[in-house]
Structure formats: structure tokens, C-alpha cells
Amino acid sequence: MSSESALAPPKTYVFDGAASRQGYRMNKLFMTLRDPAAREEFLADEAAYCERFGLSEAQTKAVLGRDWQAMLDLGGSIFYVYKLAMMDGLSMQYLGGVFTGMSEADFKAAMLAGGRTDV
Amino acid sequence: MSSESALAPPKTYVFDGAASRQGYRMNKLFMTLRDPAAREEFLADEAAYCERFGLSEAQTKAVLGRDWQAMLDLGGSIFYVYKLAMMDGLSMQYLGGVFTGMSEADFKAAMLAGGRTDV
Amino acid sequence: MSEVIWGLATSHVPSIGAAMDRGMTQEPVWKPLFDGYRPAREWLAQHKPDVAVLVYNDHANGIDLDIVPTFGIGTADRYSVADEGFGRRPVPDVVGDPDLSLHLLQNLMDEGFDLTVFQELNVDHGFTVPLSIWTPEPGEAWPCPVVPLLVNVIQYPQPTAARCYALGQALGRALASYEAPARSASWAPAACPTSSPGRAPGSSTRRSTTCSSTRSRTTRRSSPRSPARTSSARPAPRASS
Amino acid sequence: MSEVIWGLATSHVPSIGAAMDRGMTQEPVWKPLFDGYRPAREWLAQHKPDVAVLVYNDHANGIDLDIVPTFGIGTADRYSVADEGFGRRPVPDVVGDPDLSLHLLQNLMDEGFDLTVFQELNVDHGFTVPLSIWTPEPGEAWPCPVVPLLVNVIQYPQPTAARCYALGQALGRALASYEAPARSASWAPAACPTSSPGRAPGSSTRRSTTCSSTRSRTTRRSSPRSPARTSSARPAPRASS
Ligand SMILES: [Fe+3]
Ligand SMILES: [Fe+3]
């Protein structure tokens, strides 16, 4: 969940209790993807796998469509969402680009140039 | 483990870190016995079940022989050992009798009379 | 702000629950205990809380020995009644109050308590027996949501008594600062007599474990118009010795 | 008594481990980092500890979201290297030191830290990357046993900085009181830069999480005859910024 409160820098997600409750089942699903057998099963029928873990309709849609931003909005923790991205062969820098509206290459270049300096 | 240290009343087991490490696998086995299917599997071949959980030889012998005192000596926690006793249809008062050299009836009578008063 | 309106301390030995579940409460061995509860139950029935906090310990049913927390708090919206190996007790599952849980968590962490957070927790007799003593006939549901606060008593080292006392005080402050205008109540720590194994023939042991029980009642009101509102907590009725 | 002889703080981003595992440390993007480590590594190689304490955080590999402890300690004699989803790192499993773990646990509990005890724990890059930075070529085994001390950074609320600082101070006291005549060392907290998701297009974020690392070295000797023994801790070499 994005927050503008005193707890969080602007435009930054704080994975707090409410977010963790919202994303609990989806993050549990991501946790299983560390196991090769689970990855195979997931890839064979992603919708059924989501249903088995009790994801909401919106969460299922986000997972099936690889809508990384929506996963965060729906309670995904980056440490868990990343396990899905890893399965897809994507990097943390790729996700960084998605979340900031850049290509992976531009994101990497921005990080090498010192990263964000406005906060 | 029985202790005579300042931490423990005389003749009383303190389930401390060392005891918990020693009894870890055996207690894990007892934990599974809450599940009817596991109980069935255990009863079908107790020795194999003990082996699967990696019990030591002494622990396996204690479990197979229902040597309740030995289970405590080998790192069993009463809260876990009790799950095996429950499966056998035995009560906490029965175990109390075993541990104090009394029949279950005598143990119950002793408890109703106010229990141990020397500590 | 919220207000603690009652506290209750009781033993939670599983046989109390079994006696109730099997209709044995009027048998000679049990009657004195349940007679002792009666005045408290009558008083409590007239002071129904909106939410309760129950400080208790698990007995190898919700927590295994892989990970043993010292203090834990549940933040779920539902807690299942555990099957401890003899079938689950015929009592309702427990409805939680995540908002209050997260408020307590934040405040207790800010006060330096290193809580472990449970999003999933099966509650055992340490939890359901106190609920039954409070509400012998819950029907389909317990009277109000309940927040579990866990204290390790299974594996040494347990928290010191001083630490438990400090936690209780911080819990009181955290409840008092809960934002909805409300009243609350708290369960004080209770001794839980357990027959404890000793190897000396001829000696039986009786030992108290720190099966603390703190119950909080928070009545949420948009305006502080409760006629029963008082500025200080009522003394808890004595339910049992 | 034991003595802290060094401390080390470092980032633990998984790509550091991947760069080492894939032989990329001399590539232009990585070389400056690993050049920076060199002086520390040389110094550390001359001061081999008998046991280490590593304060770190898990990243959803050893701990799931069902039970999230604030502070945890491992008491096992062995910790497996986790498979984080891309195969386990080609580094040895970690040998623990249960005696030291239980000593630390007892002392930290007595000082009012509400630790969660892990008898089983898979350690992830938060643990193995600092070990690799210390010992790039461990061979069959790390140089000494290591005790894991866990700090939650995954789920808010995390422990306050003040609480972490107090824990570090208590850890120092607990190490000093370890009974075997010994020397010890401690890893100071380290910032772990993580690219953190923000939704504003065109802005990248960089955020520090409290990936603390405290390492303790305890040399057990039956007599205090170490020629290198000093009465105060040596300053930790600066391994990286
Ligand atoms: Fe109990
Ligand atoms: Fe990290």
C-alpha cells in the first residue's frame, strides 16, 4: 500500500499490517514458487493455482497479467512479488523500471548515476 | 532433563534449550499425532515412523516401550509426550502417577488432598 | 479513547473444558469449581464487552518447537479452534479484531516489546477454556471479537515476571490510547496448576505456569455517552482461586 | 570471559553473492566494490575467530508471513543455505554453536529482550553474502561456527533504531560474560541499499533497510594466554560504504 503518512517517504509503499493482511494469500502463493515442482504446477494452470490459494479476483487478475504495480497495490510484498518475477527470468532492476516508468536499462543507469536524490 | 540447579525445584524437569535440542525430533513426532491419519500411520509401524523422524536409538526404544520416564530423560516435553499418551487413551493423571511411583487412582487422591507440599 | 471495564483471571486446565463439553459440571468433583464461577459469570453477563484481549499460552497446538516466540500477538480476523489430538472442542471459532491488534502491536513495539506477529493461529484450550468460563453457552459465536496475546511457557527461558508485568502495564496504556471512544477491561495473570513430572517416587508436584489472561473490553462509540462509563477500571470479579 | 576482537558491517544485496558465484568480481561494474573489500579481507584473514554472531534479516526464505518475529536467535547446530528460487548458492551450510546461542538467549532474555528461538532455520543471502564477503573461498566449511541473530525488516512495524541499539549493547554484555576465557568481535549495523518500489513515474527510490550485521568472535581458551589479547575491542576495519 502506498502511503503519504509521516511513516513513509512520498510515493513509497510501507508493507504494514494492513497491507500484509490484504496480501497474505497472494504472498503465500509467491513463497511456494521457490520450489521447482510448485513452479511447474503454477505454470501448468496459473488460474487454478491462484484459486487454490484463495486469491481475490483482482489479485488473480494482477498475477495472471503480470501487473506488478497492481500486485503491490493489492498487498504484495516486494520480497514475495520478486519470487514471481524471478520465475519469469526478470530482475529486481526490471521491476524497478516498471515501478518508476523506465526501461530496465534506464533504471540501471539511473541507479549507477546515484539513484533518486529528491527524498 | 531433571535439574537440581537454582532454576528448578528439586526433582523437577526444566525444559530448557539443551533439553529442547535433545528432544527436538521426538517432540516433532509427538506433534504429528494430533492428526488421525498420522496416528494410524504411526500405529501401523511405530519403529519405521520413529526412524522417519530421526529419533535416536534410545528415544525409539523409549517410545516403542512407552517408557514415559525415559522420554522425559531424553528431551521429551510433557506437552508433547502427552500427545502420545492421549493416543493410548491415557490421562495426565496416569502420567503423574508414573512419574511419582503411584497408581493413577492414588495420584488423583493425592492431588485432591492438596498435592505435594514439600516444595 | 477506550476504557478497561473488567479483568478476569482463571485456570485454563483442559479438563475444565472437557467437564463442560461432557455435561459433568454438576458432578461432585466439579461442582465446587463451577459454583465458584457463578457470581462472576452473572456479573460478566451484565457487562458485555465489544472486544476482548486474552493473554494466554499455547501448549504445542498452535506453535511447534521450530520457532518459539516469547510474546506474540494475533492480527487475523479469525482464529480456528485447534484439534489437540482428541477432536476439536465443540465451541465456535474466534473472531478477531485486526484493527485493535495492529494498534496494540504498534504501541507495544514503540514501548520496546519485541512482539512476534501471527497472521494465522489455531487457538487451544489455553484460549478456549477461559472463553468458556466467561461464556458457558456461546451458541454460534462468542460474545465479541477477541485478540490473542501469547506468552511462551513451553520452553525455558520464559519471560521474567518483571517483563510480563511491564507488558501488562504497556497493554493498559495501549488500550487507553485506542482512538475510538470506548471502555475496556483487562484480564490479570492467572496461575495455571499443572501436574508437573517429577521423578522422585512418592512425591507429586504442583507447579504454576504463567498462563496469563488479560481481557480487554472496548466499547466503540462515536460519542462518550455510556451511562456505565467510569473513569477508572472496575475491579475484576474473582472467578476462581 | 570472552572478548570482542572485530566487527564488520556490509551490504548484503544478493547480486554481490551472484557476482562472486559467477566469477564476475573483476568486471568493471563490480571491481570497485571488491577492490574496496580487499584491505578488510586481508586484515580479517589474519584474525580468524572461533565463533561469530551474525545479525541479519531474512527475506521471505527462512520465515514466512504466518509468524513474523521481531528479534530471533538460532540455537541449532546446523543451518541450511536456503534455495531462494534460483537454486541454493554454492556455499557450505553453516555450523552453529548452540552453547553460545543458549548463553546469549538467556542473557538477552534476562535483559528484557523478547527473543524468538529458532531450532530450525534456512539462512538466505542476508546471511551468506556477509559470510562470502568475509571469506570469499570457504571451501568445504566456513572458518568458524556462526550464531544467527535475526531482525525483522520485512513487515512493519520493525523494531525502533533505539531498540536495535539497545540490543547491540546487551549483546556486547552477553558476549563479555561468556564463561570460557575468550576474545570476541562484533559486526555493527549496516545499511542495505534496496531498490524500493515507488509508483511515481520517472523517480527511482533508494532506501536503507536495517540489515544489521553483528559478528562476534569468541576464542575459547582454557587459560588466557593469547598473545594478541587486548583489553578492548579493536576497531572494525571498514569493509565497504
Ligand atoms: Fe496451561
Ligand atoms: Fe536485504
Side-chain angles (χ1 to χ4, degrees), chain B residues 7 11 13 15-17 20 24 27-28 31 34 39 69 72-73 79-80 83 86 92 99-100 107 114-116, chain C residues 59-61 63-66 83-86 154-156 195-206:
Chain B
L7 289 172
K11 310 295 181 194
Y13 287 76
F15 189 70
D16 60 9
S20 190
Y24 183 63
N27 290 319
K28 292 288 282 185
M31 188 72 166
R34 294 175 305 155
R39 292 197 289 269
Q69 188 69 61
L72 296 190
D73 291 335
F79 294 106
Y80 289 78
K83 295 185 192 304
M86 262 195 298
M92 188 61 94
F99 297 139
T100 52
F107 183 82
R116 184 172 166 183
Chain C
H59 308 72
N61 294 302
I63 303 175
D64 203 348
L65 288 173
D66 318 47
D83 179 348
E84 306 183 26
F86 46 84
I154 292 287
Q155 180 176 282
Y156 185 86
S195 63
S196 164
R199 68 177 354 164
S203 70
S204 70
T205 64
R206 196 172 57 184

Side-chain angles (χ1 to χ4, degrees), chain A residues 7-79:
Chain A
L7 289 172
K11 310 295 181 194
T12 297
Y13 287 77
V14 174
F15 189 69
D16 60 8
S20 190
R21 290 190 60 239
Q22 186 188 12
Y24 183 64
R25 292 163 199 280
M26 183 170 62
N27 290 319
K28 292 288 282 185
L29 182 157
F30 296 149
M31 188 72 165
T32 66
L33 300 179
R34 294 175 306 156
D35 174 31
R39 292 198 289 269
E40 209 168 296
E41 202 178 335
F42 173 76
L43 287 167
D45 189 342
E46 299 195 3
Y49 203 88
C50 289
E51 198 183 337
R52 171 141 66 88
F53 277 80
L55 270 61
S56 73
E57 206 174 309
Q59 287 171 334
T60 301
K61 199 175 151 215
V63 170
L64 298 188
R66 298 298 190 271
D67 185 341
W68 308 102
Q69 188 69 62
M71 291 180 217
L72 297 191
D73 290 336
L74 296 168
S77 155
I78 186 63
F79 294 106

Side-chain angles (χ1 to χ4, degrees), chain D residues 92-156:
Chain D
D93 279 345
V94 176
V95 172
D97 185 335
D99 285 344
L100 178 59
S101 290
L102 294 174
H103 169 83
L104 295 177
L105 170 63
Q106 180 68 63
N107 279 266
L108 293 172
M109 290 283 293
D110 282 351
E111 290 217 31
F113 291 91
D114 314 314
L115 295 181
T116 293
V117 179
F118 286 78
Q119 293 208 74
E120 200 152 304
L121 176 66
N122 289 348
V123 291
D124 74 1
H125 69 267
F127 198 93
T128 63
V129 165
L131 289 183
S132 289
I133 284 162
W134 167 38
T135 304
E137 304 281 358
E140 294 295 305
W142 299 105
C144 71
V146 190
V147 171
L149 199 56
L150 290 138
V151 180
N152 165 47
V153 309
I154 291 287
Q155 180 177 283
Y156 186 87

Side-chain angles (χ1 to χ4, degrees), chain B residues 74-89:
Chain B
L74 296 168
S77 155
I78 187 62
F79 294 106
Y80 289 78
V81 170
Y82 180 49
K83 295 185 192 304
L84 178 63
M86 262 195 298
M87 191 201 69
D88 287 350

Side-chain angles (χ1 to χ4, degrees), chain C residues 4-60:
Chain C
V4 174
I5 60 156
W6 57 254
L8 175 64
T10 175
S11 164
H12 66 222
V13 284
S15 50
I16 295 176
M20 293 180 68
D21 298 343
R22 295 170 194 169
M24 295 160 65
T25 60
Q26 293 311 300
E27 293 189 6
V29 72
W30 284 112
K31 191 169 185 303
L33 179 77
F34 289 99
D35 282 352
Y37 282 134
R38 201 188 312 138
R41 282 175 163 172
E42 284 167 6
W43 189 92
L44 292 168
Q46 291 160 10
H47 298 80
K48 187 176 122 27
D50 290 316
V51 63
V53 176
L54 207 161
V55 181
Y56 83 111
N57 75 281
D58 178 72
H59 308 72

